[in-house]
Amino acid sequence: MVFVPYARPLQRGILVERRDRFVAVIRLASGEEVQAHCINPGRMEGFSRAEAVVWVQPMLNPKRSTKFTWELIDDHGVLCSTNTQRPNAIVDA
């Protein structure tokens, strides 16, 4: 098991859609739909299927247009990082 530290606890959600290269719509467990920043601007065709289980990190900057960052997706039982700034921390862990 690998522990990857995040600044705030991740929240589980369901991917509703990837609106464009930088924004995804996520349905949280509460039922609320939120926009999450997608740090991976690539096509991510294999990682953007609707209804996939995802994890987002809440952001605290009130000036941000999105209040969450999309961090992980469950791809058929395998957790995959969608944040291109995270690989070094994952390898270090």
Side-chain angles (χ1 to χ4, degrees):
M1 177 183 279
V2 174
F3 173 75
V4 179
Y6 290 91
R8 284 160 297 289
L10 301 183
Q11 294 183 26
R12 186 180 187 275
I14 301 295
L15 178 64
V16 175
E17 68 173 325
R18 186 171 180 202
R19 185 160 290 159
D20 60 35
R21 289 176 48 177
F22 298 101
V23 177
V25 178
I26 309 295
R27 186 179 330 105
L28 300 176
S30 66
E32 176 186 14
E33 287 191 2
V34 298
Q35 291 188 17
H37 178 64
C38 181
I39 295 179
N40 186 338
R43 293 174 65 186
M44 289 178 45
E45 290 176 333
F47 290 147
S48 53
R49 68 185 191 294
E51 301 300 315
V53 175
V54 298
W55 282 264
V56 294
Q57 180 175 195
M59 298 286 106
L60 301 178
N61 183 347
K63 295 181 181 182
R64 258 181 75 140
S65 60
T66 57
K67 303 302 179 202
F68 294 86
T69 297
W70 180 10
E71 294 286 346
L72 301 167
I73 187 167
D74 182 330
D75 184 44
H76 302 92
V78 177
L79 283 180
C80 301
S81 177
T82 56
N83 183 336
T84 57
Q85 295 178 349
R86 191 70 58 199
N88 289 341
I90 291 171
V91 170
D92 284 345

